[in-house]
Amino acid sequence: MEILGYIATVIVLSSFLMKKMTNLRVLNSIGACLFIVYGLLIASGPIVLTNSLILSINVIKLVQNELERKHKH
């Protein structure tokens, strides 16, 4: 089970190496999802809450960026 936490950590850290913000947010969202599952498995409210909020922010920003992109074209 702990391996899931390590995988999530690697994915989140890797997301910060992305040059494009969209790629960063997508990869970071995947890591946040894995952390949510990990947090649920170990019954850690703070991990679930923090990563749920991170995921929500990433999704909102991705949607906003997509709407802006469509509006420009």
Side-chain angles (χ1 to χ4, degrees), residues 2-67:
E2 201 169 89
I3 189 73
L4 182 59
Y6 287 116
I7 292 169
T9 298
V10 168
I11 292 172
V12 168
L13 290 176
S14 297
S15 74
F16 293 110
L17 299 174
M18 301 291 107
K19 290 182 181 181
K20 292 184 178 182
M21 186 58 71
T22 299
N23 294 344
L24 182 151
R25 291 197 183 279
V26 169
L27 196 57
N28 193 272
S29 295
I30 293 168
C33 288
L34 292 175
F35 266 125
I36 291 167
V37 172
Y38 176 69
L40 290 170
L41 290 172
I42 65 168
S44 176
I47 290 175
V48 173
L49 177 62
T50 300
N51 287 281
S52 295
L53 293 172
I54 289 169
L55 178 60
S56 298
I57 291 167
N58 281 332
V59 168
I60 289 167
K61 291 295 190 178
L62 285 167
V63 169
Q64 285 175 343
N65 289 345
E66 184 62 20
L67 291 174

